[in-house]
Amino acid sequence: MKNKKLKIVFGSVIAFIVVYAAAVLIYLGARYGARAVMSNFIGVGCICAAFCAVTLLISAMSANVRKSKKKPKEPKEPEDAAELISEREGNFDRLIHIVIFSVCMIIAAVLIAWAVTGFGGFGLADLASGAYRRVQATVVRALRDGGMERLVYEYTVNGTVLQSLSSAEFGGIILESGRQVNVYYAVENPQIAANLSVPVILLSGALLFAVGGVGIMISGASKKRILSAGGMGLYAVSGSEKRSNITGIMVFTLFAVFGVGFYVAGSLASGLHFFELALSGAAYYGVTIFMIAGVLLDITAAAGYIGNKIRSKKAER
């Protein structure tokens, strides 16, 4: 019965991925013509195939896990436990987690520095110092440059109408003229304009790496506790599951947060609303599925944690 439910769930996920891909292409074709469809067809198709393949892989792994749970577990001998608490294995495992955590923190720091300073471009520090001022602009057209849509803004400064090419790029977005957005122009050279989309994406990425790194460290600490538990294996495994669930919830939440950040950035740059962005092309097709997957995995992890709590309390009784 449970296997049938799982098949229905995974089948529904694949159906949604495929139907959503078809909806994006139909929307682009109906609104913008064949050129928009052809420019996004390969990207949408590849992303669709990748997510379907991942879903099928997870389905197969879930089936194998359920089969292994049905098999009777053989009791472990003390010698096996002695091998698990090997000091060399524990130190190597801890080193790997520290390295991954350090890399994640370094990447997060670089992204934050990039968002603040701009590395020669527009950064939050420029906005705070008054080097850039806000003005309402109109998206007059979008230029395709190397497969990306670059936005052209028109705005007025001291009675002079100016146009500026945005530094933000969003793959596959198709725009109509007339969208109103807020941009920031350089006081010393009003011809130079930028928007907050790039800092938002950079900060979202920094948050993703930072929390992901912390989650990896929590997972590593959990595994270390198992290795050093000895005869208290049952208690340690319980603590490990709790930490693993917390880690999973943190990581899956970041999937959703990163997707939301990408939507905020796209809206700031283009003036498009949620559903317009969701159907705007290959880039947001992939981001939206990524974001929805994060939310669903978050719910699944939370439900699994609550279910384990309920079962453990029933077992104690």
Side-chain angles (χ1 to χ4, degrees), residues 16 25 70 94 97 99 159 191 193 214 225 301:
F16 169 76
L25 295 176
K70 291 180 180 179
R94 185 164 58 251
H97 282 82
V99 169
Q191 190 73 40
V214 172
R225 181 169 295 184

Side-chain angles (χ1 to χ4, degrees), residues 84-85 223-237:
L84 288 175
I85 60 174
K223 192 169 184 181
K224 179 186 174 185
R225 181 169 295 184
I226 294 175
L227 293 173
S228 61
M232 299 175 63
L234 182 60
Y235 173 80
V237 169

Side-chain angles (χ1 to χ4, degrees), residues 1-9:
M1 185 66 179
K2 289 184 178 180
N3 287 334
K4 289 183 179 179
K5 288 182 179 179
L6 283 175
K7 288 181 179 179
I8 293 173
V9 170

Side-chain angles (χ1 to χ4, degrees), residues 66-76:
R66 293 190 63 81
K67 287 180 181 178
S68 64
K69 284 184 177 181
K70 291 180 180 179
K71 295 179 180 179
K73 295 183 179 180
E74 297 180 359
K76 291 184 178 180

